[in-house]
């Protein structure tokens, strides 16, 4: 994928990156199958991959569209349908919620809500303030999901699913 910055017809079609690189989103599929496990995987922004892979691996990063594999048992985290290096769970600096079931893994990467913290609050109080507090922070524009969360998206969906599962078990 070549640089498209000079021919900027429609800003919405372009994702600017930290390094002023960009990709025409509309020219690549929104979702593709993981090249390792076949799970349907969504696009992830370049800046998410850049920020979350180990710094010494940034030289492997190419100007292509990357996708995030959410499969729990697949070691691949970021991959492309082009012939480029595939980043695995060992190549990222955080534990990936979708792929690591430990208690100390963040459900919300921006505000430090780990599985343990959510569980502890529910055990102590039989309720969870996580979603409410996170929503408050989002409203105050203090979240940076595209930089902190490996899937590059807001965590609230995962938080709600996790909280509801625990509440239904208590
Ligand atoms: Zn996969």
């Amino acid at each position: 994928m070549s640089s498209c910055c000079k021919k900027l017809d429609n800003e919405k079609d372009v994702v600017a990156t930290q390094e002023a690189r960009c990709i025409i989103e509309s020219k690549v599929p929104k979702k593709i199958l993981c090249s390792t496990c076949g799970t349907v995987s969504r696009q992830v922004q370049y800046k998410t991959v850049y920020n979350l892979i180990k710094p010494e691996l940034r030289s492997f990063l190419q100007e292509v569209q990357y996708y995030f594999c959410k499969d729990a048992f697949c070691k691949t985290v970021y991959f492309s349908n082009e012939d480029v290096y595939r980043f695995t769970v060992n190549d990222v600096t955080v534990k990936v919620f979708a792929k690591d079931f430990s208690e100390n893994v963040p459900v919300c990467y921006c505000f430090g809500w780990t599985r343990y913290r959510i569980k502890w609050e529910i055990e102590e109080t039989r309720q969870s303030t996580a979603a409410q507090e996170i929503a408050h922070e989002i409203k105050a524009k203090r979240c940076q999901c595209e930089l902190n969360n490996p899937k590059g998206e807001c965590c609230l969906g995962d938080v709600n699913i996790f909280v509801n599962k625990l509440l239904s078990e208590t």
Side-chain angles (χ1 to χ4, degrees), residues 24-87:
I24 299 175
E25 271 195 311
S26 57
K27 285 196 175 173
V28 294
K30 293 274 177 214
K31 294 175 183 178
I32 61 172
L33 302 181
C34 172
S35 52
T36 310
C37 72
T39 296
V40 176
S41 303
R42 287 163 76 157
Q43 283 186 357
V44 65
Q45 291 186 66
Y46 180 92
K47 63 182 173 184
T48 307
V49 184
Y50 180 88
N51 202 48
L52 293 174
I53 58 172
K54 291 177 176 168
E56 64 268 28
L57 296 174
R58 283 178 185 156
S59 58
F60 290 105
L61 202 52
Q62 302 293 319
E63 290 182 44
V64 298
Q65 178 63 56
Y66 285 91
Y67 296 81
F68 172 76
C69 173
K70 64 179 180 192
D71 183 81
F73 302 103
C74 177
K75 298 270 182 251
T76 295
V77 180
Y78 300 121
F79 65 98
S80 168
N81 55 1
E82 302 200 37
D83 186 22
V84 295
Y85 183 82
R86 194 188 298 163
F87 298 96

Side-chain angles (χ1 to χ4, degrees), residues 6 12 14 17 53 56 59-60 69 83-84 87-88 90-91 94 99-100 103 116 130 149 159 169:
K6 282 171 195 160
K12 280 181 190 164
V14 174
T17 70
I53 58 172
E56 64 268 28
S59 58
F60 290 105
C69 173
D83 186 22
V84 295
F87 298 96
T88 70
N90 299 319
D91 298 330
V94 294
K99 297 174 185 285
D100 186 325
E103 297 251 297
Y116 177 79
N149 191 329
V159 169
E169 288 167 359

Side-chain angles (χ1 to χ4, degrees), residues 97 107 131 151 153-164:
F97 174 73
V107 189
K151 70 176 186 178
E153 294 171 7
C154 179
C155 67
L156 264 183
D158 290 334
V159 169
N160 282 323
I161 291 168
F162 185 67
V163 164
N164 289 336

Side-chain angles (χ1 to χ4, degrees), residues 113 117 121-122 125 127-135 159 163:
W113 286 93
R117 184 177 168 197
E121 192 193 19
I122 288 177
T125 68
Q127 59 166 355
S128 175
T129 58
Q132 199 185 329
E133 286 192 22
I134 294 164
V159 169
V163 164

Side-chain angles (χ1 to χ4, degrees), residues 106-141:
V107 189
C108 162
Y109 288 80
C110 292
F111 309 110
W113 286 93
T114 58
R115 283 197 181 91
Y116 177 79
R117 184 177 168 197
I118 292 174
K119 246 177 182 169
W120 184 85
E121 192 193 19
I122 288 177
E123 277 167 19
E124 292 294 310
T125 68
R126 299 198 165 259
Q127 59 166 355
S128 175
T129 58
Q132 199 185 329
E133 286 192 22
I134 294 164
H136 179 80
E137 297 291 332
I138 292 170
K139 213 173 170 189
K141 297 192 179 4

